[in-house]
Amino acid sequence: MAINIGIVGLPNVGKSTLFNALSAAGAESANFPFCTIEPNIGVVAVPDGRLDQLANIFTSEKIIPTSLEFVDIAGLVKGASEGEGLGNQFLGNIRECNAIAHVVRCFDDDNIVHVDGSVDPLRDSEVIDTELGLADLASVEKRMNRTSKMARSGDKDARADMEVLEPLLAHLNEGKSVRSMELSDDQRLRISDMHLLTDKPVMYLANISEADAVNPDANPHVQKLKEAVAGAPVICMSAAIEAEISQLEEEEQREYLESLGLSESGLDKVIREGYKLLDLITYLTAGPKETRAWTVKRGSSAPEAAGAIHTDFQRGFIKAEVIKFDDFVSLGSEVAVKAAGKLRIEGKEYTVVDGDVMHFRFNV
């Protein structure tokens, strides 16, 4: 399943530099607004040490990690919801993403211009949130204009839609996000095709200086951002450090991070948070040809997980052979796992758990 996270923010906050580092995709980045016009897409492998361990047991020819897509969306500006700065096009790009990573500048540097002339994470985050909210407001009003006519003519479905749209409009008019509104599953289904921007899960990426990387909480801009977005995850990372890391081999990356007093890269933090935001888990398949990771939603059934490999696997699902990753590693081989009675045969009702090593039986 292709999972994409849209990287948004004001112009010149370090979005494209960060995107380049995250995906090594070479998006153009420069010290002027609107450098990015068409969205750049980078596919990033999700680091997972379990793959190497399984591949060693099976002496697999290939290791294939699962991946996340990052979409570098052009800098939004005040008025984007009304078309400022090619705003409508950019908002459309965000609409297609599963989640939002909102980059906020939290470093001072006189050599890098700020679109509003000064560094203020509270103001910057509010500009973006307001534009996304205004775009949603326009979408809801447009839907209501169409639906209200049908509701007045006695259409029951349209009336039920209006019962969701009217309080939703009031909620947005108060400057609140759709995701902060309590909605039932049926209500959510009624507005799902609108792909509302403020309904998407969001994390904030505080772009800090290299000097602040070891102790980001000492940065007053970071504190201000955390207070402004209370409840949403804030990940502190230095685009400059990430850019440096992306040029190095794996071993050199570890050494470089250690020299800075860091235990992991910003990319690893973003991926972990992205998985949490989207409620994703990983299951594994292994054999002599390849060891591979697959991404599914938490709570997926065994047939749904099989469908991540191929729709035929889901349609013709019979059973799943399931081994816990820890059992595999501690016992050291499939033969030992079977001998210890640790291989389970699960049916259609089984809920997949992160780290399950699975083999599917199917018949089409």
Side-chain angles (χ1 to χ4, degrees), residues 14-27 29 207-210 237-249 252-253 256-257 260 262 265-267:
K15 281 189 312 84
S16 293
T17 304
L18 204 51
F19 171 81
N20 285 343
L22 293 178
S23 65
S29 63
N207 187 8
I208 55 176
S209 69
E210 195 170 327
M237 58 198 301
S238 163
I241 290 175
E242 296 303 316
E244 193 72 38
I245 290 170
S246 69
Q247 305 299 315
L248 303 173
E249 295 296 326
E252 292 173 320
Q253 287 181 8
Y256 179 61
L257 285 168
L260 295 172
L262 301 173
S265 70
L267 169 61

Side-chain angles (χ1 to χ4, degrees), residues 283-304:
Y283 78 85
L284 310 158
T285 56
K289 283 191 175 178
E290 65 177 39
T291 290
R292 185 164 183 162
W294 303 88
T295 299
V296 291
K297 290 285 280 185
R298 189 179 303 281
S300 292
S301 66
E304 287 168 338

Side-chain angles (χ1 to χ4, degrees), residues 257-314:
L257 285 168
E258 283 171 15
S259 73
L260 295 172
L262 301 173
S263 58
E264 62 179 341
S265 70
L267 169 61
D268 288 354
K269 292 182 199 169
V270 171
I271 289 172
R272 196 169 58 242
E273 201 54 58
Y275 258 57
K276 254 199 275 182
L277 263 187
L278 292 164
D279 211 18
L280 302 174
I281 61 167
T282 301
Y283 78 85
L284 310 158
T285 56
K289 283 191 175 178
E290 65 177 39
T291 290
R292 185 164 183 162
W294 303 88
T295 299
V296 291
K297 290 285 280 185
R298 189 179 303 281
S300 292
S301 66
E304 287 168 338
I309 298 175
H310 199 286
T311 50
D312 284 351
F313 281 31
Q314 182 168 356

Side-chain angles (χ1 to χ4, degrees), residues 1-5 19 22-23 41-47 65-71 98 203 267-276 278 280 295:
M1 60 193 289
I3 303 292
N4 39 48
I5 297 176
F19 171 81
L22 293 178
S23 65
I41 297 173
V43 180
V44 180
V46 176
T66 187
S67 60
L68 283 178
E69 282 183 7
F70 285 97
V71 184
N98 300 104
M203 59 178 152
L267 169 61
D268 288 354
K269 292 182 199 169
V270 171
I271 289 172
R272 196 169 58 242
E273 201 54 58
Y275 258 57
K276 254 199 275 182
L278 292 164
L280 302 174
T295 299

